[in-house]
Amino acid sequence: MPFVSKKKSKDEHTSLTETSMSKPSGEKSQRQADEPSKPKLVFHCQLAHGSPTGLISGFSNVKELYSKIAECYDIQANEILFCTLNTHKVDMNKLLGGQIGLEDFIFAHLKGSVKTIQVFKGEPALGLTITDNGAGYAFIKRIKEGSIIDKLGDQIKVGDHIEKINDQDLIGSRHFEVAKMLKDIPVGTTFTLKLVEPTREGFLNIGARNSKQVQKSVANGKQTMRMKSGKVEERDEFVDLAVAKINSLLETFMGIHDSDLAQTIWELGRDYQNPHEFIEAIANSEISDFGFGEDFVFDLWGAISDARDGRLMALNNQ
């Protein structure tokens, strides 16, 4: 499989966390002497509809990742709707979230055809779960079987980016904002969705993953990189179960899916011994703007307690 090598940037020869170039040379040399050398993290990438394999490095968040992919393939970053891990298919269970495994293969899904759909809201729930790509695009993660949207057949699909509701442009909106707008549409009215499908044709150059190409010097199959910080951490099944449970509550109560938010909620509550401390921690945190109701916060606390006390692990092992 050929490799894309349009331009070698400085990031391809450095680690994710560089010492600033503005540091005095003496201080820089001292820090380099004091700190152990960090491995270069390089990820393999393809465009989901077919492309040569590219090498991507030097990113620590989604926007930076999209820029690196765009640079590699000579496209615009805003052409990327979302990324999946280890599959070129539009599989929302493989969606890139707040973490990426050091052995994961990235597939970037680009914008495809645009469509406009008229929807009659005959009941309060449309049956949609909304997520976003962390770079300004909200899209459909799940469609509930038997729901209003499901009955429209193939007109609306999982993976479709919601660009507009009626005449309101949603580019730059977060998933919870889009979900609330859909919820607030009055029952008995017809509204318009402008949607952008991910490109589904092609798949001409999709290659099998080569295990010899992964970064074995740093990866043990359980390590992940946090997208916000660029830090490498050990994958923990205990935490994964907690995040999955919190995400299911977000989906049920708010109609959204956000692994990064779920991880933040877990980290806020894991060290507290009672729900009142947890409520106060949320109120004083960056997620206070979500305006979680008290009943919902108590459900979140229940999920955190179940995970921390091992009950989720016990249920998973049954």
Side-chain angles (χ1 to χ4, degrees), residues 19-256:
T19 302
S20 171
M21 294 297 293
S22 63
K23 295 283 186 182
S25 58
E27 181 180 346
K28 178 178 177 180
S29 299
Q30 184 61 44
R31 288 190 60 180
Q32 288 178 335
D34 293 342
E35 295 180 358
S37 60
K38 297 179 181 180
K40 177 180 67 174
L41 301 183
V42 179
F43 296 86
H44 292 76
C45 175
Q46 290 181 353
L47 302 182
H49 63 281
S51 75
T53 299
L55 295 178
I56 308 296
S57 65
F59 64 90
S60 60
N61 58 57
V62 170
K63 289 184 178 180
E64 290 177 3
L65 169 61
Y66 286 8
S67 294
K68 293 295 182 180
I69 294 173
E71 178 183 312
C72 183
Y73 290 103
D74 197 20
I75 60 176
Q76 296 297 312
N78 61 12
E79 293 181 53
I80 303 172
L81 285 181
F82 54 83
C83 292
T84 51
L85 300 177
N86 306 315
T87 179
H88 64 271
K89 298 179 181 179
V90 181
D91 184 347
M92 294 294 102
N93 292 321
K94 302 295 185 179
L95 193 66
L96 171 67
Q99 299 185 32
I100 178 171
L102 299 190
E103 296 186 12
D104 285 338
F105 201 118
I106 303 169
F107 289 90
H109 297 255
L110 305 188
K111 288 181 178 179
S113 59
V114 179
K115 55 191 177 183
T116 301
I117 309 295
Q118 298 284 325
V119 181
F120 175 73
K121 189 174 183 180
E123 54 188 82
L126 292 169
L128 290 177
T129 298
I130 309 299
T131 189
D132 63 47
N133 67 354
Y137 292 161
F139 55 93
I140 298 169
K141 177 177 173 62
R142 188 173 290 112
I143 298 174
K144 185 178 180 180
E145 186 175 355
S147 65
I148 292 173
I149 300 299
D150 183 50
K151 291 175 182 176
L152 294 174
D154 288 339
Q155 294 184 69
I156 299 178
K157 300 178 182 179
V158 167
D160 286 354
H161 160 49
I162 305 176
E163 187 174 277
K164 286 186 178 181
I165 298 176
N166 293 324
D167 293 325
Q168 184 162 352
D169 194 328
L170 300 178
I171 294 176
S173 299
R174 293 300 313 277
H175 47 36
F176 62 91
E177 295 172 318
V178 176
K180 186 177 187 304
M181 288 177 61
L182 291 169
K183 183 179 180 180
D184 290 345
I185 295 172
V187 174
T189 61
T190 298
F191 64 96
T192 301
L193 288 176
K194 183 178 179 182
L195 306 170
V196 182
E197 292 189 357
T199 300
R200 298 174 190 269
E201 296 93 9
F203 309 109
L204 297 177
N205 293 310
I206 298 296
R209 211 174 138 210
N210 186 345
S211 61
K212 294 181 180 179
Q213 293 178 332
V214 299
Q215 44 220 6
K216 293 187 181 229
S217 61
V218 295
N220 61 12
K222 295 184 179 181
Q223 289 183 307
T224 63
M225 187 187 80
R226 289 290 298 273
M227 292 296 288
K228 277 190 174 182
S229 64
K231 293 181 179 179
V232 174
E233 301 174 345
E234 292 294 320
R235 186 183 297 276
D236 189 332
E237 184 183 3
F238 176 83
V239 176
D240 289 346
L241 288 172
V243 170
K245 179 62 177 178
I246 293 170
N247 235 333
S248 71
L249 292 173
L250 290 171
E251 184 171 338
T252 300
F253 283 85
M254 300 180 66
I256 65 173

Side-chain angles (χ1 to χ4, degrees), residues 231-285:
K231 293 181 179 179
V232 174
E233 301 174 345
E234 292 294 320
R235 186 183 297 276
D236 189 332
E237 184 183 3
F238 176 83
V239 176
D240 289 346
L241 288 172
V243 170
K245 179 62 177 178
I246 293 170
N247 235 333
S248 71
L249 292 173
L250 290 171
E251 184 171 338
T252 300
F253 283 85
M254 300 180 66
I256 65 173
H257 186 279
D258 189 332
S259 296
D260 198 31
L261 174 60
Q263 177 87 24
T264 299
I265 292 170
W266 160 252
E267 291 173 355
L268 272 175
R270 63 186 175 188
D271 295 327
Y272 291 112
Q273 300 303 313
N274 65 71
H276 303 291
E277 292 177 327
F278 178 52
I279 291 172
E280 185 176 349
I282 288 180
N284 294 323
S285 74

